[in-house]
Amino acid sequence: MIIIGIDPGTDRAGYGVIEVEGGKARFVDAGILNVGRARGADALLLIKEGLDRLLEAHSPALLATEKLFFTKNQTTGIQIAEARGVILLAAREREIAILEFGPNEVKMAVTGYGQADKQAVLKMVRLILGVPELEVLDDASDALALALAAAQKQKNLVSGI
């Protein structure tokens, strides 16, 4: 099963793709959908186009993303909600199943500690996927962690977490 994790953001969205087979997760791809200087609807269009290319290339059965959480900055919260809307739309257009997780749920699934920092998440992502040399931005490692949490929730990942 191919699972894609998407970490929505205001300036960029992280993505991580894994394949789960026989209870083992394998790293496929990870990176950033960068919107550059685009803002508003133009940024959302760039995220949608980039995500459409990823979904076409990898044909995932499942998309995992973060639930919207409350933030002190309402403007940032609204922008992330808009990006999430685009992500959810892209998945539904292709009839891809969607799982949503809170940040602490993902950290708990991957590290066993709901308050883990970004470095601990990246360390466990590397360990579980067997790629100790993996160098990615936080957004991409968070996206891989989302994909791993989805695999665990679907009971497809029986070892490694």
Side-chain angles (χ1 to χ4, degrees):
M1 168 187 271
I2 302 291
I3 303 173
I4 188 167
I6 304 291
D7 183 32
T10 55
D11 295 329
R12 61 186 184 209
Y15 67 88
V17 183
I18 65 171
E19 181 176 20
V20 181
E21 190 174 316
K24 297 278 187 186
R26 180 181 67 83
F27 172 79
V28 175
D29 192 15
I32 301 294
L33 298 174
N34 200 330
V35 300
R37 295 178 189 259
R39 294 292 173 256
D42 292 334
L44 295 174
L45 178 62
L46 290 173
I47 290 172
K48 174 81 165 58
E49 290 173 345
L51 186 53
D52 283 341
R53 284 190 297 274
L54 284 171
L55 297 177
E56 182 71 26
H58 296 292
S59 300
L62 182 59
L63 181 141
T65 192
E66 275 194 348
K67 291 179 186 173
L68 187 59
F69 56 93
F70 293 99
T71 177
K72 292 178 185 176
N73 185 331
Q74 288 182 341
T75 302
T76 300
I78 290 168
Q79 291 170 338
I80 291 173
E82 290 172 342
R84 273 181 34 80
V86 167
I87 292 162
L88 297 174
L89 173 64
R92 291 310 305 139
E93 285 179 337
R94 287 181 168 70
E95 299 180 356
I96 297 169
I98 299 166
L99 283 177
E100 300 175 78
F101 298 91
N104 292 354
E105 289 178 278
V106 176
K107 293 172 186 177
M108 182 63 101
V110 175
T111 70
Y113 178 58
Q115 302 300 316
D117 64 16
K118 299 271 186 191
Q119 283 299 87
V121 171
L122 176 58
K123 181 178 181 178
M124 288 305 296
V125 164
R126 288 174 174 156
L127 183 66
I128 293 165
L129 295 175
V131 285
E133 71 285 353
L134 181 66
E135 290 295 328
V136 293
L137 293 175
D138 289 346
D139 302 303
S141 92
D142 289 350
L144 286 165
L146 278 157
L148 289 166
Q152 183 184 37
K153 185 165 187 151
Q154 292 292 300
K155 308 287 191 244
N156 289 325
L157 189 60
V158 293
S159 62
I161 293 184

